[in-house]
Amino acid sequence: MRGGRRKRNDDDDENGFAQWGGYMEAKKAKLMEQYREQTVKSAEKVSDVLKGIAIFVNGYTKPSSEELKILMAEHGGVFHTYQVASTTHIIASMLPNVKISKLGNVPIVKPGWIVDSITLGRVLDYSNYLLYSNQSRTQPKLKHYMKSADVQSKNITKSRPISPDLFESNEFDEEVEFKLSESTEDEMKISKIIDSKRVLENNGINALTKTAYEGKISIDESKSKSVLENNSINASTKTASDPSFLAEFYNNSRLHLIATLGAEFKQLVNDMREKNTGKYPGLEAITKREVNNKSVGSIVMHIDMDCFFVSVGLRSRPELRGLPVAVTHSKGGPSRSNVDRRREIEMYVERLPEGADCRLEAIDNNSSLSEIASCSYEARKCGVKNGMFMGAALKLCPNLKAIPYDFEGYKQVSSILYKTISEYTLDIEAVSCDEMYVDIGNILQKTSFTVQEWAGHIRSVIKARTGCPCSTGFGANRLQARLATKRAKPDGQYYLKPELVEDYMSEMPLSELPGVGRATLIKLKNLGFETCKDIQESSLTVLQKEFGSKSGESIWDQSHGVDKKALCYEHERKSVSAEVNYGIRFKNEEEALTFLQRLSVEVKNRLLETGMKARGVTLKLMVRAENAPTETAKYLGHGVCDSLTRSVMLPTATEDSQVIYREIKGIYEKLKQPYQDLRGVGIQLTRLEKAVVMNSFMKSFLSKPSTKVETKKDVSFQQKSIIKEKTFKEDTTINEENKENTIEVKPPMRASGRGRPRGSKNGTKLVRKSSNELSNYFKSTQKDRPKVKQSKCDIDLNVLNELPEDIRKEIIKEYNLDKGKKLCKSTNWKRKR
Ligand SMILES: Nc1ccn([C@H]2C[C@H](O)[C@@H](COP(=O)(O)OP(=O)(O)OP(=O)(O)O)O2)c(=O)n1
């Protein structure tokens, strides 16, 4: 090709491609031809579910484009190597903004649409899987591209976004809220975030969302009035019965975002440690030539961004720096007429444990019940706190400025924070999107920096890169480092030297100890303990007598600044869940069951991301409390509820949404709660195990019903919404791990018994390990297998040996394998990872 861009007419005339419509067209045609020959013919047709659908996969997706190609062929669809006129859908997990405008009117849909459609055996409505939830059914469009004028003229703000923050927070948000930012889970992939171009684009987003948001709360009555009116038009329509509900709910949930980011960074640190070659560019740049080889031992740094959400918001609002500022959904307004807010608040207060600090003071019928996610240190000087209601905060600080959420900004800053630290060390224990522990022993040794020099260095790098301040605390262990950060904040550093620990701790209120929960605190208060000094002056025996041996010792240790747990670099996932506590209003039993089914798919998708399977399945229900108002203070909120939690234990771990749904449905039916009174629904998967490869024999175990049932009334489930606690820090909801979950499985023999299907390399086929396709694959091809009587020869000893002890025993017992009968060691079914 000659230099510059090819001019089709000239060159194509020369090269003979003109009759094919040009070089590229010819190439496309050829590739499609090749595809049809190689893939379509070789793939075994399993169903016609995807008939009429022609996809083009744009960019990295999960399942990968190769896998999607096979799935399309197996299920009657068409896979296009290029986007052509007949492409019906573009499949993408994440697309840069610039690409979207070039894609024309073809809907851009997440790959889950294909997978779920196959799983459920019918083509699902793709509008629930649109990559950007404000895409119309035909027109790909990002809100980010809209000029501020468009926001009003095109009524983008009309539809009420689903306010998702309620189990723990925004229960009382009274006003209709704006959809402040768009995000998809896949957009959160860390690798894509640090890119100056995006930073610029995102600044654009910030500017836009600011306009929309401030339109709502500004003094410019005319603007805000029309926006508010527009919002209220659709305000009554979106409940959990709406098929697009879940996607919108999670796209707009701040708690979902912070939990997701937290999990991502934990996984990112794992991945980076695995791949690390020992090179740390940041560290190399500051390493001294004459290194003092004497080890300085382990010194723990705790690093935490200051009023994180506020600091990110202020990057584009420098005029608000130094002022009292809060990030919240809205300033609020008077209660709706049909709502008995007073009664609801009274009921909440009645239900609080004695001595609990509650956020409901200073709330009247006209004050905002919108929660403050984060407030600036200037606001804190007036007594405003994170988690307070805006109404109460405004009484303490009438000048308090409200700014909107900026999800994109949080992602960016978190990514830069983690990337920066990883340039020096990977001895990182990720805590959340804005907080981590780091062992800096090696850094100090290599650089000969003092703790203070290092702190000054890293804080200035982070500030320069993110535009946000952070604070660092240092100590001999995690506890000391964390408590040192308290003194460092805001925008400071503090090293709690060993000789100062006992004194420093003595002034510490017991409520500051991370291991002391609310109930323990109340009990300690009742026993006359207020500060760590009170504990230091007491005895270990007294504490152990009151709290038991382990807890007593832990309180004792913490009060002396002792933390025996080393930093944990390997993140191990304990549970995966999906919970919804907003918009739950069902008109009939069928709607409730449909929602449970959707939530089962949602939680299965999250499980899939972890590469794990689960044995424990838990259903959590929030049910309107007796005598609680039917119309909640928060529009479509959960109000005062009783919470029920019930779990079942499966005989073997699963990743199948149908199995999950079956169990969830079973529990739901047993709980016998009226569908009209449901206000919150959550599914949690526990007892996670690494996904073990299975053969058909093992598959049959999946259909066995659950074994154990455990029920508990979970009071904290609901109380979380009243009392501000840092609940998000730990492993709460979501996992966004980024693993390729593929394995090779041997496809079954053909009915004739002659060889493997054509086109499968060495008789193997690439299939998603952690999805229902595998299950479908087995089910759908069952009929093609040679009919053999169920015998022990179906059992792959390699698989059997990999199973957890209890399951192995169960299988051995159930199939009489312990009766000295011979087993075949199958090689046909051996799978490679
Ligand atoms: N229940 C919660 C807890 C946290 N966050 C968000 C808002 C915070 O800005 C961010 C980090 O939480 P922190 O507890 O670290 O609080 P801040 O960073 O706001 O303040 P601080 O400077 O005290 O750490 O997470 C939230 O929205 N809801």
Side-chain angles (χ1 to χ4, degrees), residues 265 339 410 423 497 506 530 767:
F265 288 118
V339 164
Y410 310 143
E423 287 173 13
K497 292 188 180 143
S506 70
E530 295 274 349
V767 206

Side-chain angles (χ1 to χ4, degrees), residues 467-674:
C468 300
C470 68
S471 298
T472 50
F474 300 86
N477 58 41
R478 190 201 322 229
L479 174 72
Q480 290 176 18
R482 186 189 187 94
L483 295 176
T485 308
K486 297 218 174 281
R487 182 167 288 186
K489 273 182 175 282
D491 200 8
Q493 55 198 52
Y494 179 65
Y495 176 23
L496 179 53
K497 292 188 180 143
E499 61 273 22
L500 300 177
V501 172
E502 195 77 4
D503 273 359
Y504 187 77
M505 291 306 301
S506 70
E507 289 161 21
M508 197 61 65
L510 288 167
S511 55
E512 296 289 356
L513 298 181
V516 174
R518 198 170 61 238
T520 312
L521 197 64
I522 293 170
K523 194 168 170 190
L524 281 166
K525 263 190 185 169
N526 292 340
L527 290 167
F529 297 115
E530 295 274 349
T531 64
C532 290
K533 190 171 184 197
D534 299 332
I535 304 280
Q536 287 173 0
E537 288 170 354
S538 176
S539 78
L540 174 61
T541 334
V542 170
L543 286 165
Q544 287 187 319
K545 198 170 142 241
E546 292 293 339
F547 295 94
S549 162
K550 226 171 144 194
S551 303
E553 188 181 338
S554 158
I555 299 168
W556 174 261
D557 278 350
Q558 288 197 49
S559 300
H560 289 85
V562 174
D563 182 352
K564 290 173 185 152
K565 268 190 9 208
L567 291 196
C568 172
Y569 303 137
E570 294 296 324
H571 163 59
E572 200 195 326
R573 189 85 201 163
K574 295 265 177 5
S575 67
V576 175
S577 59
E579 295 177 356
V580 178
N581 57 351
Y582 173 84
I584 302 291
R585 298 290 188 280
F586 299 119
K587 290 195 217 75
N588 50 50
E589 202 67 38
E590 200 190 330
E591 277 189 6
L593 288 173
T594 306
F595 184 73
L596 287 175
Q597 196 164 15
R598 288 193 192 123
L599 205 59
S600 302
V601 173
E602 173 72 30
V603 81
K604 179 251 357 188
N605 287 338
R606 293 176 185 193
L607 181 69
L608 218 69
E609 293 290 322
T610 69
M612 309 281 267
K613 293 181 176 194
R615 286 191 66 203
V617 180
T618 300
L619 176 66
K620 297 175 173 186
L621 291 182
M622 290 181 81
V623 184
R624 184 174 69 86
E626 210 184 336
N627 302 326
T630 322
E631 194 60 43
T632 50
K634 161 84 184 172
Y635 176 75
L636 293 184
H638 58 69
V640 187
C641 287
D642 293 324
S643 297
L644 288 172
T645 302
R646 184 173 282 210
S647 306
V648 292
M649 206 51 66
L650 299 170
T652 189
T654 188
E655 57 185 351
D656 185 335
S657 60
Q658 285 167 19
V659 174
I660 296 167
Y661 173 61
R662 185 191 64 201
E663 298 300 333
I664 288 296
K665 185 169 177 262
I667 301 175
Y668 174 72
E669 283 165 355
K670 274 189 197 126
L671 286 173
K672 290 196 170 67
Q673 296 300 314

Side-chain angles (χ1 to χ4, degrees), residues 408-423:
E408 279 301 320
Y410 310 143
K411 286 185 234 169
Q412 270 175 27
V413 172
S414 301
S415 304
I416 299 171
L417 171 69
Y418 273 88
K419 174 132 196 311
T420 302
I421 299 295
S422 69
E423 287 173 13

